[in-house]
Amino acid sequence: MLYLVSSIGRSGTRYLSQLFASCTAIPSFHLAEPYCHAAVYRAINQAETPEDLELKITRITEIERNSGSYFESTPVFIRGLAPTLLARAFAIKVIHLLRPPLEVARSYANRESYPSHPNRPWRLPLNLPHCLLHAPGDLTPFQENLCDWLENELRYQALESRFVTTVDWHFSDYDHPERMARSFTALGVDGNRTLLEQHTTARDLDRNPNQKPTEISPEDLAQARDLVSRLLDNGFDPAPFSRPCYADLPFFQSFLPAAS
């Protein structure tokens, strides 16, 4: 059984891999090499199977064969790995990791990271023809990151029915041992509850924070409003975001009310 995470990152993915490594017997990794980032994704969309992807699948297969399971958190799972793994009949359980999208966008922007950044090859340029949003006009780094989050969610929804199990896992759950325990149970994972409570209470694992706090500014809010207006004007359909898992995220309460 494979355990993988649907997220573009900046949502506690490294921390989650550490929790699995500490609290379960599942071999657990964060961004295990080869990364299979943007170049591999482009090749997949051209019906190619790059060498890096074959190598990664071989390594996953070997670990799963020896241990019975495999966990990895990688932001390219939904866009790069998932279709190929599903095509090869891997059984996959998915943690649908949700952090408020404005926070994700700001956290990445604080790292000077966004899809079109020339020195960020692991981010996927939004001008590729297969991008789902067809985002209009020039975008700021913050807006690019927000589009990236939305697009990843749409791709996850398109694949969701093909996974064995999906569990909605909110960023805020990390501070609540009882919620984390319920999520492990829903995923069918036999985790050490004592260690799980210890780590979530003591906050003794690396959460990989930015040096600059993730704070949403008035300018960020203005950029979010501008982006949503432009997307809606260009035919963006908010209906896929009417699901209950998005209801508690402020973005969908304030900026996409048609999705609620």
Side-chain angles (χ1 to χ4, degrees):
M1 181 65 66
L2 305 188
Y3 299 86
L4 293 155
V5 181
S6 177
S7 167
I8 69 167
R10 304 311 308 153
S11 302
T13 49
R14 178 188 292 183
Y15 176 67
L16 188 55
S17 70
Q18 293 180 80
L19 276 178
F20 267 74
S22 176
C23 301
T24 77
I26 300 172
S28 303
F29 308 91
H30 176 64
L31 294 174
E33 293 187 8
Y35 299 138
C36 292
H37 51 59
V40 172
Y41 178 49
R42 290 190 192 96
I44 292 170
N45 277 270
Q46 295 169 1
E48 301 173 7
T49 306
E51 182 179 347
D52 279 359
L53 182 59
E54 290 288 4
L55 177 58
K56 190 172 189 73
I57 291 175
T58 297
R59 290 178 175 174
I60 290 173
T61 301
E62 290 174 351
I63 293 171
E64 185 191 30
R65 182 186 300 121
N66 293 331
S67 303
S69 55
Y70 175 94
F71 172 97
E72 184 180 352
S73 56
T74 170
V76 297
F77 162 57
I78 288 298
R79 289 183 277 196
L81 297 177
T84 304
L85 292 172
L86 289 168
R88 300 193 186 190
F90 280 91
I92 306 174
K93 293 187 176 183
V94 176
I95 296 169
H96 181 212
L97 187 55
L98 291 160
R99 182 182 185 184
L102 297 184
E103 294 181 14
V104 175
R106 172 43 52 200
S107 184
Y108 264 127
N110 284 350
R111 293 188 165 213
E112 297 185 0
S113 182
Y114 48 94
S116 69
H117 194 295
N119 296 325
R120 298 292 187 272
W122 54 90
R123 302 301 299 276
L124 299 170
L126 289 166
N127 60 358
L128 293 181
H130 52 267
C131 287
L132 301 180
L133 294 178
H134 304 291
D138 294 329
L139 302 177
T140 67
F142 178 83
Q143 289 173 325
E144 283 196 23
N145 289 328
L146 187 51
C147 281
D148 196 24
W149 190 95
L150 291 168
E151 187 191 57
N152 195 74
E153 290 302 307
L154 293 176
R155 292 184 183 277
Y156 162 77
Q157 291 183 24
L159 294 169
E160 182 182 13
S161 64
R162 300 173 62 189
F163 301 130
V164 174
T165 301
T166 59
V167 176
D168 296 323
W169 202 308
H170 286 262
F171 186 71
S172 58
D173 292 347
Y174 289 136
D175 295 321
H176 299 275
E178 70 284 356
R179 295 185 196 171
M180 295 295 289
R182 286 198 298 269
S183 295
F184 271 79
T185 298
L187 200 61
V189 171
D190 184 19
N192 185 310
R193 296 300 189 263
T194 300
L195 284 175
L196 181 62
E197 182 169 359
Q198 171 190 317
H199 291 313
T200 52
T201 301
R203 300 172 66 93
D204 56 350
L205 298 177
D206 178 17
R207 297 200 180 197
N208 194 25
N210 286 340
Q211 292 184 349
K212 184 177 181 180
T214 301
E215 298 176 348
I216 307 303
S217 69
E219 175 60 24
D220 290 337
L221 296 177
Q223 288 188 28
R225 292 189 185 94
D226 171 66
L227 175 65
V228 169
S229 176
R230 291 158 67 184
L231 289 175
L232 292 174
D233 287 345
N234 280 267
F236 173 72
D237 180 10
F241 296 97
S242 62
R243 297 179 173 201
C245 63
Y246 301 117
D248 292 334
L249 301 180
F251 177 75
F252 297 102
Q253 298 170 352
S254 302
F255 295 98
L256 275 180
S260 60

